[in-house]
Amino acid sequence: NLLVVGLVPSELDGISPREALTVVEEMKAAALRFARNVGGWSDQVGLYVNVFGHNNVNSLFVHILDMTEVGPGFSVQAFKNCPLDAVLKVLREEAASSMTVSVSKPIMPMRPSRSRVSSVGGKHFFFAGTDGATSLKAEIIGRIPVLKDASSFREARRLLVEELGGAGTLREELIRAGFVNEDTNQLTTGNNPFNIFAKCAAGALQQPNMAAE
């Protein structure tokens, strides 16, 4: 998810903020090229992402919209549709500041009376969030209920790094939920949980007309 792009340390196969910026710029170029060549689209193209917390699918993808054809769902989902340009603005700031990333220890306080067994190495895990949040995702939603611009994206990244344990905490949450393989750090492609984008990317599921498009 773009929440952690450029924030995963090299020790965990991550890339630097500058490298992350290049990758996201390439994503934007590819999306715009698709819109230009698919046929039938106007030149008013919107590119949006859902930042972790406000995402429904645990995969990285970009919503490509013809802004002359948006329906009522666009305004309903506006609170969590963050423009890709807003993400790029923050990444450019971080790259310009020569931001460096180190390994952050996940938040794993030991409270035997309220802890539960985690699937990550059999360790006990307890997440004590604000207002009853019991997961990183719920905490981000509670702290940043509207995440649709550079300011809220910047705050989400600050919150993750400075208060919530960094990318390592997110990794553990996704491992416990079965979305990430602990040994490979890759998204899982099974049926439970079912991650359609991961399955398509891995070739485990063929989307109709995908090859032609």
Side-chain angles (χ1 to χ4, degrees):
N1 189 277
L2 286 176
L3 176 63
V4 296
V5 64
L7 298 182
V8 179
S10 58
E11 302 96 301
L12 298 177
D13 299 323
I15 57 178
S16 70
R18 287 191 177 88
E19 292 170 319
L21 173 60
T22 298
V23 169
V24 179
E25 287 176 335
E26 290 173 348
M27 289 170 54
K28 177 181 177 179
L32 292 177
R33 180 175 181 178
F34 170 84
R36 284 195 304 269
N37 290 280
V38 70
W41 285 50
S42 75
D43 59 359
Q44 298 179 44
V45 177
L47 305 178
Y48 297 88
V49 296
N50 298 139
V51 178
F52 184 81
H54 291 283
N55 61 317
N56 294 326
V57 180
N58 290 310
S59 290
L60 173 58
F61 61 93
V62 178
H63 293 287
I64 308 175
L65 304 179
D66 184 334
M67 301 305 292
T68 67
E69 300 288 343
V70 295
F74 180 73
S75 58
V76 171
Q77 304 294 335
F79 72 97
K80 65 175 184 178
N81 285 338
C82 186
L84 192 60
D85 280 339
V87 171
L88 284 167
K89 178 180 180 180
V90 174
L91 294 180
R92 290 185 182 113
E93 293 170 357
E94 294 176 355
S97 67
S98 300
M99 178 180 179
T100 58
V101 180
S102 61
V103 175
S104 297
K105 293 184 178 180
I107 300 173
M108 296 183 66
M110 299 298 292
R111 301 185 186 182
S113 62
R114 299 177 62 190
S115 64
R116 60 187 175 87
V117 176
S118 164
S119 62
V120 185
K123 298 176 183 177
H124 290 278
F125 181 88
F126 180 81
F127 188 99
T130 56
D131 295 325
T134 57
S135 68
L136 178 63
K137 176 170 279 193
E139 181 74 2
I140 291 174
I141 292 173
R143 302 272 292 270
I144 310 175
V146 177
L147 212 169
K148 64 175 185 178
D149 53 26
S151 176
S152 51
F153 179 66
R154 187 184 300 111
E155 173 59 14
R157 284 167 70 86
R158 185 207 65 77
L159 182 66
L160 178 69
V161 171
E162 297 182 9
E163 299 185 35
L164 300 178
T169 302
L170 176 53
R171 173 180 177 271
E172 287 195 356
E173 183 157 306
L174 294 178
I175 289 173
R176 292 196 313 276
F179 285 102
V180 169
N181 183 297
E182 183 177 6
D183 296 323
T184 66
N185 289 322
Q186 299 294 310
L187 291 172
T188 56
T189 56
N191 292 323
N192 187 22
F194 186 86
N195 191 329
I196 186 170
F197 294 108
K199 291 175 77 72
C200 287
L205 184 67
Q206 185 69 37
Q207 178 180 334
N209 303 319
M210 183 168 62
E213 290 181 354

